[in-house]
Amino acid sequence: MGAIAAGIAMCGAAIGAGVGNGLVISKMLEGMARQPELSGQLRTNMFIGVGLVESMPIISFVVALMVMNK
C-alpha cells in the first residue's frame, strides 16, 4: 500500500509541476510580448517562480520515500 500511495503522490506532484511551469512561462512570454523592455526583469522573476514550483515535486519525492519506508 505504501508503494501505491507514493506513486499517487509523485504523479500528482509531477502533473502539478508541469501545469505550474507552463503557466509561469506562458505568462512571462505574454509579458515580454507586451513590454519587451522589461524582458530581463521578467526572466529573473520567471526563474524564481519556476524554482518555487519545482520545489513541490522534490518535497513530494521525499515524502513518498518516507511513506514507502514506513
Side-chain angles (χ1 to χ4, degrees):
M1 288 306 268
I4 294 172
I8 291 172
M10 284 305 301
C11 179
I15 291 171
V19 170
N21 283 336
L23 288 174
V24 167
I25 293 171
S26 71
K27 294 300 180 179
M28 187 273 303
L29 290 173
E30 183 180 326
M32 282 177 68
R34 290 177 186 238
Q35 294 183 341
E37 65 274 2
L38 292 178
S39 65
Q41 185 179 6
L42 289 172
R43 190 175 298 117
T44 302
N45 288 338
M46 181 209 59
F47 284 129
I48 293 170
V50 167
L52 291 172
V53 169
E54 285 297 322
S55 68
M56 188 61 199
I58 295 169
I59 293 169
S60 178
F61 178 69
V62 171
V63 170
L65 287 177
M66 290 171 55
V67 166
M68 282 182 54
N69 289 331
K70 215 170 199 191

